[in-house]
Amino acid sequence: MANTIIEVENLSKLYKLGTIGTGSLRQDLQRWWNSSVLKKHDPFFDLQDDAPANDRQFLWALRDVNFGVDQGDALGIIGSNGSGKSTLLKIISRIVRPTQGYVRGRGKISSLLEVGTGFHQELTGRENIYISGYILGMSKPEIKSKFDEIVAFSGIEKFIDTPVKRYSSGMYVRLAFAVAAHLEPDILIVDEVLAVGDAEFQKKCLGKMREVSHGHGRTILFVSHSMQAVNNLCNKALWLDKGRLQEIGDVTAVVNKYISKVQKNMLKQEWDTPATAPGNDLIRFSKLELIPHLDHPGAPLDIRTPITVKFQFWNLAEDQELSVGLHLFSYGGECIFDVPSPSIQCQKGLVEGECLIPGNLLNDGSYYISLIIVKDTSLDLFYFEECLSFELEDFRGDIKWFGKWMGSVRPKLPFRIEQTLPELV
Amino acid sequence: MQENHWEISSKTSYWGWNLKELWSYRHLVASLIRREFLLNYQQTVLGPVWILIQPIMTLITYVVVFGKVVGIPTGSIPPLLFYFSGIVLWNLFNDSFSGTAFTFKENAHIFSKVYFPRLVMPISVVSTHFLRFLMQLFLLVLVMVYYWLFRDMPLPVTPLLLTLPAIIVVIGAIGLALGLFCSVVTAKYRDLVNFISLGVRLFMFITPVIYPMGAVPEKVRWLVEINPLTPLFELFRYALLGEGTVTVPGLLYSVSFAAISLLAATLVFNKQGDKLIDIV
């Protein structure tokens, strides 16, 4: 296919754990002596041919990964820690060799696996721009023609002839990224470099990368833990799980599937008989459920999602006046709110109710719910702690800022802003 | 867009490098050399003068210890010039070797983050030492001029002087070749680092640095003769100072040793280079 710029075929990478290379020179010689001179059976080579995936000595960092990237695509690579994302980038960057399989492609690749590769503390900013540029594969005229642009992008004009060891860490990162941002490869490989730098600079970097991919038809492979950034920058996503390709396709679909997989939600608890249910002589819980109101089933819960909390319990005593309190806690244990239900007169038997937590109220994060049953609006009957939990993913729409949003709640409040004077008089 | 197709697979090849690619990184080599000089002499009092002070101090030590105390005969060559020529040439070999013998170990960090032809690193190191050598050689020539002006030593202006560039290149090549071999080995077996620094020090004693070939007893002569550096050192002194034991087979041996070992070392370096990133 003419449009495919990278083709990955049956790519696998096996790492030996523990002492790499089987250990010392003595062991290697011994092995060589046994296998080559004495022609004895060598267990080490047996394993290399088809090492079992669960063998403790070996780890498949990647296993049979197949995919293609079209020219002009921005592919986000997502997955939990240790899922093989970085290994994949390193293989495509030609830093490490795969154990099996092929990567075929065309065009020039530049990889940005670290901010400031090739930087040296003792050298000035100017020297470092050149060395780092050369290491990343730029040519001399290329750097010369972009030098001023790089310096302007980094915003450290005043310090360009100062050794970088005297820079603040922010300045250092800005300069380093500025060099990388001006690379003009056909394929740009970026690994989680946005984790550094302040929010304003992150915005600048992402803007630059977007410009590179959308404006110039370059291909970008981008690893990030920020689903926001992936969503915003990429048009496709690839999900790796324990070295295997889980899903590849349209970015929103893949990211949503990934998030719903990793979200640790306790959405439902149920008990069949009062004997095993949590509670006491007066009341016992029978059913607890969180029902998120999602547009599509399977989509992750995000800050816009309204959630209904349903509960059901057995009232074991005659004629009690009961009410239920819903306590919502952040993962850190801070109480966000405590909402009581109205008090009603209950007879022996099942009691049920529900409470709606509206969308656009909470900030992103993990939450848990505790329920308390109160008699006569004053006496605590039973406090069921941490009985339900859920996670809310971030959603920002078109906001081009990717830092952590502050606050426990993030309500949509009526907000007005307008220009009153069209022009300064 | 360039239509250069590439493929990455598990196979590493001996010929997995091309001069064109290496050439496209020439500016990197140049700026690494520049960096090396800047780094060594920034925030120092004497700056680049250190390049000359080090051999001068060694020279003084040798003249005192081997010339005055031990009394090794240096033939008709003044001891000062004899030792100095040996030291300058030995430094070239020693620096080319020691500078490249730990290429993978020292550059593991950068090698694991970005791809460029790994040969760039040893080439820039050897080039740096080559420039340093030229400065030291210049000092040697100055001392010779002094002897010519004030001590009536004849200046050997003969066609043999034309062999000097060749000698220098061959010595640099042997240093680089052995260094490349060692860089592969030290990446895998760290404990060999100690052997290598000890080995290179012992190696100096079977090289005619502090003694002329003629002063070696018949019994241990073979030890000095199998050393490919020996004919080069002797020729260097012969061309520059007019005294030395030079044979054509000896020189042929040195040159072919240099050519074969450099070729083999480059091949091994390329073959192993890609795999070693997983290990270092």
Side-chain angles (χ1 to χ4, degrees):
Chain A
M1 266 199 294
N3 215 18
T4 305
I5 194 163
I6 305 174
E7 217 185 319
V8 174
E9 208 183 298
N10 293 325
L11 199 70
S12 300
K13 177 78 187 172
L14 180 71
Y15 277 112
K16 277 165 241 153
L17 299 181
T19 326
I20 294 167
T22 71
S24 67
L25 179 59
R26 192 179 61 85
Q27 274 172 297
D28 273 10
L29 285 176
Q30 221 166 38
R31 218 171 44 150
W32 172 82
W33 179 257
N34 281 338
S35 60
S36 304
V37 183
L38 302 179
K39 303 280 177 211
K40 264 200 214 160
H41 180 70
D42 183 351
F44 184 78
F45 283 110
D46 269 5
L47 280 172
Q48 243 180 359
D49 290 337
D50 54 353
N54 58 354
D55 194 293
R56 257 181 284 140
Q57 256 198 306
F58 296 92
L59 174 83
W60 286 103
L62 286 176
R63 192 94 206 240
D64 292 329
V65 174
N66 290 285
F67 66 93
V69 184
D70 288 344
Q71 190 184 334
D73 268 355
L75 178 72
I77 300 174
I78 56 179
S80 50
N81 285 324
S83 57
K85 303 186 297 288
S86 295
T87 308
L88 180 63
L89 290 197
K90 280 191 172 182
I91 291 175
I92 299 177
S93 314
R94 294 178 66 183
I95 292 166
V96 297
R97 291 284 183 159
T99 311
Q100 285 162 11
Y102 295 91
V103 182
R104 291 191 189 90
R106 60 190 156 89
K108 194 176 148 195
I109 292 190
S110 283
S111 44
L112 202 57
L113 302 191
E114 172 195 58
V115 164
T117 309
F119 266 47
H120 199 289
Q121 291 290 324
E122 299 283 341
L123 298 179
T124 65
R126 183 185 302 275
E127 307 272 352
N128 271 319
I129 289 181
Y130 275 94
I131 288 220
S132 167
Y134 291 140
I135 284 187
L136 293 170
M138 285 164 109
S139 68
K140 193 169 187 172
E142 218 177 316
I143 302 181
K144 271 207 169 134
S145 67
K146 286 189 189 145
F147 189 85
D148 293 335
E149 219 180 305
I150 293 174
V151 176
F153 186 85
S154 67
I156 54 146
E157 291 91 340
K158 267 196 277 178
F159 310 98
I160 195 67
D161 287 312
T162 309
V164 296
K165 64 178 168 183
R166 310 213 197 289
Y167 284 22
S168 73
S169 53
M171 283 158 66
Y172 181 91
V173 167
R174 291 215 301 268
L175 181 64
F177 190 84
V179 180
H182 289 81
L183 289 168
E184 286 190 344
D186 301 311
I187 301 166
L188 180 64
I189 294 178
V190 186
D191 188 4
E192 199 76 74
V193 279
L194 294 173
V196 290
D198 51 35
E200 186 208 358
F201 191 69
Q202 283 185 9
K203 193 176 85 189
K204 220 167 154 185
C205 296
L206 252 112
K208 182 83 195 172
M209 275 166 57
R210 212 187 341 249
E211 182 191 315
V212 164
S213 75
H214 298 241
H216 303 277
R218 301 226 167 76
T219 308
I220 294 189
L221 302 191
F222 177 57
V223 162
S224 180
H225 283 113
S226 159
M227 292 307 130
Q228 266 300 309
V230 170
N231 255 327
N232 212 291
L233 178 75
C234 304
N235 61 338
K236 288 198 174 163
L238 183 163
W239 169 16
L240 282 176
D241 186 36
K242 294 187 186 106
R244 287 174 193 274
L245 179 72
Q246 197 74 24
E247 191 96 30
I248 182 167
D250 173 67
V251 64
T252 337
V254 176
V255 165
N256 283 352
K257 272 189 190 164
Y258 170 69
I259 293 172
S260 11
K261 171 84 184 292
V262 288
Q263 273 184 342
K264 283 179 288 296
N265 294 337
M266 184 154 65
L267 295 178
K268 197 173 182 183
Q269 294 209 74
E270 219 172 341
W271 297 270
D272 296 333
T273 58
T276 55
N280 52 30
D281 295 343
L282 299 172
I283 66 115
R284 292 222 180 244
F285 277 97
S286 70
K287 198 167 151 190
L288 297 165
E289 195 176 3
L290 283 178
I291 302 164
H293 302 271
L294 297 165
D295 293 340
H296 324 281
L301 280 61
D302 67 30
I303 55 162
R304 298 167 300 171
T305 315
I307 298 171
T308 300
V309 184
K310 276 194 167 178
F311 58 89
Q312 197 178 51
F313 60 87
W314 287 285
N315 177 20
L316 305 175
E318 278 301 344
D319 211 19
Q320 309 191 82
E321 190 193 330
L322 297 176
S323 68
V324 174
L326 190 158
H327 298 173
L328 182 88
F329 293 89
S330 72
Y331 202 68
E334 189 190 358
C335 183
I336 312 287
F337 58 67
D338 169 2
V339 184
S341 74
S343 216
I344 59 163
Q345 204 67 33
C346 300
Q347 305 307 314
K348 238 182 189 175
L350 277 175
V351 181
E352 69 170 34
E354 63 178 53
C355 172
L356 177 73
I357 303 173
N360 291 311
L361 169 68
L362 297 170
N363 201 354
D364 65 301
S366 302
Y367 296 93
Y368 61 87
I369 289 172
S370 300
L371 288 175
I372 187 160
I373 297 179
V374 182
K375 187 179 174 185
D376 301 331
T377 64
S378 56
L379 182 66
D380 296 352
L381 286 188
F382 181 65
Y383 190 34
F384 194 5
E385 284 183 279
E386 298 176 33
C387 51
L388 293 167
S389 70
F390 59 96
E391 272 181 61
L392 294 182
E393 225 18 70
D394 205 352
F395 180 82
R396 292 185 195 179
D398 287 332
I399 295 173
K400 293 182 187 69
W401 176 70
F402 307 102
K404 169 77 183 122
W405 204 287
M406 285 197 298
S408 301
V409 293
R410 199 154 130 196
K412 254 197 179 157
L413 302 179
F415 214 132
R416 192 175 69 96
I417 178 170
E418 64 188 305
Q419 188 169 23
T420 46
L421 270 180
E423 219 175 310
L424 276 178
V425 193
Chain B
M1 197 182 82
Q2 297 163 290
E3 288 295 306
N4 56 331
H5 289 256
W6 42 262
E7 181 181 291
I8 301 164
S9 73
S10 58
K11 286 185 221 78
T12 58
S13 83
Y14 289 106
W15 301 103
W17 58 295
N18 58 59
L19 288 173
K20 208 177 125 202
E21 189 188 25
L22 209 53
W23 178 245
S24 68
Y25 280 88
R26 63 192 180 280
H27 296 301
L28 177 58
V29 174
S31 60
L32 285 172
I33 295 172
R34 200 176 130 73
R35 176 177 91 175
E36 203 52 38
F37 277 98
L38 285 175
L39 289 185
N40 276 328
Y41 306 113
Q42 246 170 21
Q43 286 190 13
T44 59
V45 183
L46 295 173
V49 180
W50 279 112
I51 296 179
L52 303 177
I53 290 180
Q54 186 267 332
I56 290 173
M57 298 305 249
T58 319
L59 176 64
I60 294 170
T61 320
Y62 284 10
V63 169
V64 171
V65 175
F66 300 115
K68 304 278 186 234
V69 181
V70 184
I72 294 173
T74 59
S76 64
I77 306 172
L80 191 74
L81 280 179
F82 182 89
Y83 291 125
F84 203 15
S85 58
I87 290 169
V88 166
L89 206 55
W90 175 256
N91 276 354
L92 173 64
F93 169 77
N94 184 33
D95 292 346
S96 311
F97 172 75
S98 311
T100 51
F102 311 111
T103 303
F104 284 105
K105 212 172 142 255
E106 282 166 358
N107 296 300
H109 177 71
I110 191 160
F111 281 2
S112 68
K113 292 295 178 192
V114 64
Y115 171 81
F116 54 89
R118 305 312 189 201
L119 268 178
V120 163
M121 283 295 176
I123 287 175
S124 72
V125 168
V126 169
S127 312
T128 309
H129 291 304
F130 187 71
L131 291 179
R132 254 180 226 168
F133 165 77
L134 288 184
M135 286 185 230
Q136 298 179 358
L137 186 67
F138 179 68
L139 186 64
L140 175 65
V141 171
L142 283 186
V143 178
M144 284 176 63
V145 169
Y146 168 84
Y147 269 83
W148 171 63
L149 285 177
F150 301 105
R151 301 286 166 92
D152 293 330
M153 194 192 74
L155 269 194
V157 189
T158 63
L160 270 181
L161 281 182
L162 295 175
T163 61
L164 287 186
I167 298 172
I168 294 163
V169 168
V170 174
I171 289 194
I174 296 179
L176 176 62
L178 297 181
L180 290 180
F181 272 126
C182 285
S183 70
V184 171
V185 176
T186 52
K188 227 176 163 188
Y189 311 110
R190 301 251 162 149
D191 41 352
L192 292 184
V193 173
N194 305 316
F195 277 110
I196 284 166
S197 46
L198 179 68
V200 75
R201 232 173 294 159
L202 292 178
F203 193 51
M204 192 184 99
F205 290 102
I206 60 160
T207 310
V209 177
I210 50 163
Y211 53 82
M213 191 60 191
V216 180
E218 207 59 51
K219 263 203 270 178
V220 289
R221 201 159 220 181
W222 62 272
L223 203 60
V224 184
E225 270 169 350
I226 56 160
N227 178 355
L229 291 180
T230 304
L232 300 166
F233 273 70
E234 289 293 319
L235 180 63
F236 185 72
R237 281 208 184 98
Y238 188 61
L240 215 53
L241 304 166
E243 205 172 293
T245 318
V246 180
T247 62
V248 174
L251 287 172
L252 284 178
Y253 166 60
S254 298
V255 172
S256 35
F257 181 89
I260 293 169
S261 61
L262 187 59
L263 181 68
T266 323
L267 297 182
V268 169
F269 186 88
N270 280 308
K271 171 89 175 157
Q272 295 292 328
D274 288 326
K275 293 188 207 159
L276 287 174
I277 310 298
D278 283 337
I279 298 171
V280 284

